[in-house]
Amino acid sequence: MRAQAAASTACGSEIPEHATVTTRTAGWYLHTNCYNCAYRLWPSYGPAGYIRPTSSRDFPIRRA
């Protein structure tokens, strides 16, 4: 029997089985505080009119 891969975040952090996982939201960038996740998701899901984070000091995400 093959083990099932654990779910992970965009930055590769494993999501524990007991974690509460919500559905995707259009305002994800207003809630994240993980630079790695935001930076990796930005090309596909980055919101128009906001500045892509360049470091962990760029949170909360700011408008352009």
Side-chain angles (χ1 to χ4, degrees):
M1 182 182 238
R2 190 173 183 192
Q4 189 175 28
S8 62
T9 63
C11 68
S13 295
E14 233 178 74
I15 299 173
E17 288 183 28
H18 65 276
T20 301
V21 181
T22 60
T23 58
R24 290 183 182 171
T25 177
W28 68 270
Y29 55 93
L30 299 172
H31 305 285
T32 189
N33 60 1
C34 177
Y35 164 73
N36 290 324
C37 285
Y39 188 83
R40 289 184 171 123
L41 289 171
W42 208 267
S44 299
Y45 302 104
Y50 284 82
I51 300 170
R52 182 180 187 177
T54 58
S55 77
S56 60
R57 293 181 295 215
D58 291 339
F59 292 91
I61 304 289
R62 296 181 311 255
R63 290 190 180 272

